[in-house]
Amino acid sequence: MSKRLSFPDLILRETDDYIFINKPPLISTLEDRSSPVNMLSIAREYDDGAQVCHRLDKETSGVLVIARNPEAYRHMSLQLQERKVEKVYHAVVSGLQEYKDKVVEAPIRKNSSGGVNIDFREGKEAVTRFDTMKVFRSTTLVECRPLTGRMHQIRIHLAWLKSPILSDHSYGGEDFYLSSVKRRFNIKKGEEEQPLIKRIALHAESIGFETEKGEKLKVQAPYPKDFRVLVSQLSKNR
């Protein structure tokens, strides 16, 4: 078992076929040349038949589904392909946004720099629905429901709406500093203020689907500390 992470501590729910975990931020889902630690390798130390059913970006935290056998993996893959899996993400974005059943249908194409662009000629279909949850002083907590599963879909669609996710530098997001909203903000002499969150402010809050046996599963992942502190501070300093 990896010394850096205790896999059992990440488990949200476990069945004979699936393991649902709360992936920490800054850990890759699959092998990554820049990091020796990834969720798949850690999962296989716990269950050697483990196979990740979908991906979360390295900086994104939240619920991740791991199949324990080939049949469960195939079933989940089919559910994803047929768009029968309900995914919900929470994002903190720039600006005061009032979204109510706001649907973005903007095709996505991968680019040569490892990111994506909106491309209505050559892009692949991508659809996301957005709803405002809370409006703060200069930012907004948004519920995001991707109906397709393209790379960086939520991130590029929010940027397309001119409401980039905080700290998402690849798509126009800026760092957020508590001093920008807190009236009495003190910092020790000689120290430099750090961003309130040091990674993309995106969390996979829940996932739901029907198993091969007809059982409906829905699993929610609580916020990790950095996202929880961000939302708490924004709420206190509205």
Side-chain angles (χ1 to χ4, degrees), residues 87-231:
K87 297 180 185 178
V88 178
Y89 292 72
H90 290 179
V92 181
V93 306
S94 297
L96 309 182
Q97 314 297 343
E98 291 290 351
Y99 300 136
K100 185 175 181 180
D101 289 328
K102 174 69 176 178
V103 176
V104 174
E105 298 184 60
I108 291 172
R109 176 179 57 83
K110 291 183 181 180
N111 59 39
S112 58
S113 61
V116 299
N117 299 110
I118 300 296
D119 188 331
F120 284 91
R121 293 184 63 185
E122 298 181 12
K124 293 183 178 180
E125 180 189 18
V127 184
T128 317
R129 194 179 85 204
F130 299 103
D131 287 281
T132 292
M133 297 177 67
K134 289 182 182 178
V135 178
F136 306 114
R137 187 179 297 183
S138 61
T139 58
T140 306
L141 179 63
V142 178
E143 179 185 89
C144 319
R145 292 178 177 264
L147 306 182
T148 52
R150 306 299 175 200
M151 179 175 130
H152 297 181
Q153 177 174 315
I154 292 171
R155 296 165 60 187
I156 190 69
H157 278 178
L158 283 167
W160 177 255
L161 291 174
K162 302 191 186 310
S163 54
I165 300 173
L166 298 188
S167 296
D168 191 355
H169 305 139
S170 297
Y171 299 106
E174 298 181 348
D175 290 332
F176 184 84
Y177 295 91
L178 186 57
S179 60
S180 67
V181 294
K182 191 171 184 178
R183 291 186 180 90
R184 294 182 180 179
F185 181 81
N186 297 313
I187 191 169
K188 292 181 181 179
K189 189 176 180 180
E191 290 188 0
E192 187 175 334
E193 183 183 2
Q194 297 297 310
L196 195 50
I197 191 166
K198 296 182 179 180
R199 52 100 176 182
I200 298 165
L202 182 63
H203 176 74
E205 190 272 339
S206 67
I207 195 165
F209 63 98
E210 190 172 294
T211 69
E212 201 168 10
K213 299 169 185 175
E215 179 187 5
K216 291 184 179 179
L217 291 178
K218 181 178 180 180
V219 177
Q220 294 177 287
Y223 293 161
K225 183 179 179 180
D226 63 348
F227 201 95
R228 187 172 66 249
V229 168
L230 172 67
V231 173

